[in-house]
Amino acid sequence: MVMDLKTKARLISVGRIELPEILRPSGPVSTAGPGAGEKNVFFRSGEGRVRLSVAESSPLKLAELKGTEVAIFENGHEVARGFLEKPLLHCPRQAYITVSERCIYYCKFCAVPKLSGDVKSKERVMKMVAEAQDTGELEAISLTSGVERSPEEEVERVADIVRSLRRFDVPIGVSVTPALRSSKILKTAGADEIKYNVECLDPDLFGKVCPGVSMEKIEMALLDAVGHFGENRVFSNVIVGLGESDRALREGIDGLAEIGVLPVLRAVYPHPLRRDEIKMIRPSPERLVDLARFTRKVLDEHGLRGDVAETGCYRCTGCDLIPHRDL
Ligand code: SF4
């Protein structure tokens, strides 16, 4: 049974899965994405892929079948069959690396400021990518970063790393907090794609969930990014489940597509470190499908494509329903 759109939406909506001991991932926990600080598995079924957090208890259970085949069961019924993919660095086939695992901002849904982890040197990033390349699986590099001291300094740090990473000759995507001239700096350094996350598209809610961050500045930076990177090469994460209205979401998605930006609609992840600070409700499968269909429609209207991305989440597809790939 191949995972179809509705099944993937259901799996994303639940977000976590129980695994038999033998299949539990043994590598380091991921430091990027919604499951930062937690163990994840990647399930591949047909052309589709989904990332799920490993949990002690969940309505979803993974079972081994013959050989490498596995199946996902919900309440005793098989919902999809496929196999587990080994992540390269964070996700399959990409070296997806968090440079600064800390942040001076305090967006209320994000675990990074609370985890306050390492800041990786250029040498360490180069070594990680070289080891990923040695596996023969490296197809893209994605760099993400919090903000250790200031957005300007972080952009310079990441640009310097990008310049050195060019030698691996694979596409490079970057996701950072925008700073003055950041798109020009990162494009000149050799980045192919860029992501500036607006996170919340409801203007009434934005100031509450991302205090100290300017929504307007992010939108201006996205517009500038399209000028430097071109259409289909600029992305922005949009969280679904913070209490935003569907009207504000749809208007915001349309506004992003209108300027040539591809929205990454991300189901909110109520991280254990943040659960008590803000109301976070995982979107239903129906809401996810509905919003994904709407996004696909507006991308079509604006002549954008979700299947040309070479890096990051539009290429990985693990956490979201990606237009032109999943639907
Ligand atoms: S979709 Fe993005 S955040 Fe999710 S696992 Fe893939 S690369 Fe990571």
Side-chain angles (χ1 to χ4, degrees):
M1 186 184 280
V2 172
M3 176 174 67
D4 60 13
L5 179 69
K6 284 187 181 162
T7 305
K8 182 170 174 182
R10 171 74 190 141
L11 298 178
I12 291 174
S13 179
V14 175
R16 52 192 207 287
I17 190 164
E18 273 180 61
L19 258 61
E21 190 80 46
I22 190 155
L23 293 177
R24 292 203 185 140
S26 54
V29 296
S30 175
T31 56
E38 308 218 322
K39 297 243 176 190
N40 300 302
V41 286
F42 291 85
F43 174 75
R44 179 108 206 162
S45 177
E47 294 295 299
R49 171 186 288 152
V50 68
R51 180 199 63 79
L52 295 161
S53 301
V54 179
E56 291 295 318
S57 130
S58 166
L60 302 178
K61 305 198 188 334
L62 194 88
E64 279 187 290
L65 303 175
K66 267 198 230 124
T68 57
E69 206 176 23
V70 295
I72 296 180
F73 288 82
E74 182 171 21
N75 301 323
H77 297 287
E78 183 181 326
V79 295
R81 205 172 264 222
F83 60 94
L84 293 181
E85 282 181 292
K86 209 170 173 302
L88 185 54
L89 281 175
H90 166 76
C91 68
R93 314 201 79 81
Q94 294 190 48
Y96 192 117
I97 297 171
T98 307
V99 179
S100 297
E101 299 167 21
R102 47 182 68 186
C103 197
I104 56 170
Y105 299 109
Y106 217 70
C107 295
K108 297 216 166 132
F109 48 82
C110 181
V112 170
K114 294 249 178 180
L115 292 167
S116 203
D118 285 350
V119 176
K120 294 184 188 75
S121 65
K122 179 165 75 176
E123 292 66 34
R124 181 150 166 230
V125 173
M126 296 300 286
K127 186 163 177 281
M128 289 170 81
V129 177
E131 285 169 4
Q133 195 182 43
D134 286 346
T135 66
E137 290 175 21
L138 181 71
E139 292 176 358
I141 299 168
S142 293
L143 298 181
T144 181
S145 202
V147 178
E148 190 202 9
R149 279 193 285 262
S150 72
E152 290 72 22
E153 198 178 302
E154 208 62 48
V155 166
E156 290 297 346
R157 185 205 309 271
V158 172
D160 185 40
I161 295 174
V162 169
R163 274 189 284 277
S164 297
L165 287 174
R166 286 283 19 143
R167 78 180 64 150
F168 291 100
D169 202 24
V170 292
I172 301 174
V174 169
S175 173
V176 288
T177 298
L180 193 65
R181 296 174 53 248
S182 52
S183 290
K184 186 167 187 216
I185 294 168
L186 289 163
K187 180 70 185 163
T188 308
D192 299 290
E193 295 178 339
I194 190 138
K195 179 156 77 166
Y196 298 139
N197 295 333
V198 65
E199 310 286 16
C200 174
L201 279 177
D202 189 332
D204 294 336
L205 200 60
F206 186 91
K208 288 187 199 120
V209 295
C210 290
V213 182
S214 161
M215 188 177 187
E216 203 189 337
K217 272 194 190 156
I218 298 171
E219 288 169 347
M220 295 302 291
L222 285 166
L223 189 60
D224 182 54
V226 177
H228 288 282
F229 286 85
E231 288 187 343
N232 297 316
R233 299 289 169 205
V234 182
F235 308 85
S236 188
N237 277 13
V238 173
I239 297 181
V240 182
L242 293 169
E244 65 289 323
S245 73
D246 266 8
R247 185 161 162 245
L249 254 184
R250 283 165 185 259
E251 281 176 10
I253 291 167
D254 197 28
L256 289 173
E258 199 177 348
I259 60 167
V261 175
L262 296 164
V264 182
L265 297 188
R266 176 64 44 83
V268 72
Y269 182 73
H271 198 284
L273 292 171
R274 288 294 200 184
R275 240 174 237 156
D276 300 332
E277 291 185 41
I278 182 178
K279 202 165 150 201
M280 295 184 274
I281 298 172
R282 207 84 188 150
S284 68
E286 294 74 27
R287 190 176 183 211
L288 287 171
V289 170
D290 195 40
L291 287 168
R293 288 205 168 118
F294 175 77
T295 307
R296 158 90 206 238
K297 181 174 89 61
V298 297
L299 294 192
D300 286 340
E301 281 167 9
H302 294 291
L304 298 172
R305 295 292 308 182
D307 52 0
V308 298
E310 295 181 296
T311 69
C313 301
Y314 260 70
R315 178 163 185 157
C316 168
T317 74
C319 297
D320 321 291
L321 300 177
I322 297 291
H324 304 118
R325 290 208 201 258
D326 287 311
L327 73 160

